[in-house]
Amino acid sequence: MRQSGRINAEVRAALRGAVRPGVTGLELDAIAHREIAARGAVPTFPGYAPGGRPPYPGAICFSVNEELVHGIPSDRVLREGDIVSIDLGVTYRGFVSDAAFTVAVGAASGHAERLMSTTEAALESGIRAACAGARIGDIAHAIGSRANGYGIIAEYGGHGVGREMHEEPHVPNTGLPGRGLRLKPGMVLALEPMFCSGDPATMELADRWTVVMRDGGLSAHFEETVAITDGEPEVFTRIR
Ligand code: MF3
Ligand code: CO
């Protein structure tokens, strides 16, 4: 899982470096395919088809502005001032890592920057709470209590990750401390706060994948794959 996470981090760095005005989701998806293959790994997302959905077509999820998550890479062109969430699953020797970031295309508004930095800080807070002996509710509370007035998306959250991308338990982005499953060393969780500037209601588009904000407002999403250890949490999807 550690190696899978490192590859995920390296490929995400390449994707981040390629985000600029004029680039499309399909171009970034091609970079993801190439960089994953170059490392002897496999993209996790292509073909994923839970609950009767059509098989997911991309190696990345590419979600722009009011698109929250699971946006399908297309020839939609990124424009200066957009914010884009890029989500990447990597499978290496049978182990999955799942991570995402949101970034501005060129310069974004102060408002968009604050939404992104708040969401990223909430992820850090969730990671710090991912300690043996604590509970899922402690992570959920650590994330949700850092929303700073932004909307917290209730329909989606984090999850266990390992040989499968989505394993038990579900990790909500808001909750009560002291509740839920107790964390043990060896558990690995994908933590993924999603905050929005307006109403937190979402809807799925006709493609059965793209999740957008109902009110068309901005949303941000950050995710890391994190291991519970005897000591500090270990973030697998970051280069240390
Ligand atoms: N990181 C995403 C999640 O946990 C996984 C994307 S689903 C796929 O929801 F369809 F894109 F594969
Ligand atoms: Co995930």
Side-chain angles (χ1 to χ4, degrees):
M1 298 236 22
R2 194 173 272 132
Q3 289 171 299
S4 176
R6 172 173 257 281
I7 294 167
N8 192 306
E10 291 171 356
V11 176
R12 282 191 345 277
L15 291 168
R16 186 184 283 272
V19 169
R20 53 175 169 70
V23 80
T24 69
L26 282 169
E27 286 165 353
L28 295 169
D29 195 59
I31 292 171
H33 274 284
R34 192 180 71 221
E35 295 294 327
I36 291 170
R39 290 165 175 80
V42 176
T44 311
F45 296 172
Y48 185 60
R53 287 192 166 65
Y56 189 76
I60 61 171
C61 299
F62 174 83
S63 312
V64 183
N65 296 339
E66 79 292 347
E67 295 173 350
L68 172 67
V69 287
H70 304 167
I72 295 174
S74 70
D75 52 14
R76 176 173 178 171
V77 173
L78 288 178
R79 296 169 42 180
E80 174 95 21
D82 285 344
I83 65 173
V84 58
S85 152
I86 296 179
D87 194 335
L88 180 74
V90 167
T91 305
Y92 185 70
R93 299 190 185 172
F95 289 98
V96 177
S97 57
D98 186 9
F101 61 92
T102 304
V103 69
V105 181
S109 67
H111 166 65
E113 292 289 352
R114 273 193 303 282
L115 171 64
M116 290 190 287
S117 61
T118 301
T119 312
E120 193 169 20
L123 171 57
E124 285 314 309
S125 169
I127 292 169
R128 284 194 298 276
C131 294
R135 292 178 183 271
I136 292 293
D138 295 310
I139 298 177
H141 178 75
I143 292 172
S145 62
R146 262 77 172 189
N148 262 323
Y150 288 116
I152 303 170
I153 285 81
E155 292 103 320
Y156 301 89
H159 49 90
V161 53
R163 288 201 174 266
E164 302 291 335
M165 172 162 61
H166 289 140
E167 299 183 352
E168 291 294 304
H170 175 67
V171 188
N173 285 321
T174 179
L176 296 174
R179 303 285 179 89
L181 185 76
R182 196 177 284 282
L183 306 176
K184 291 194 197 130
M187 290 179 174
V188 183
L189 302 172
L191 306 183
E192 48 182 318
M194 289 158 241
F195 293 161
C196 62
S197 58
D199 188 278
T202 65
M203 65 184 196
E204 191 180 282
L205 298 188
D207 62 22
R208 300 288 321 275
W209 279 109
T210 311
V211 179
V212 300
M213 303 314 301
R214 266 187 191 276
D215 67 2
L218 277 187
S219 61
H221 170 223
F222 287 83
E223 177 175 27
E224 302 278 4
T225 294
V226 182
I228 315 302
T229 76
D230 287 316
E232 301 274 292
E234 183 176 341
V235 183
F236 284 154
T237 38
R238 222 172 244 171
I239 297 163
R240 273 148 295 139

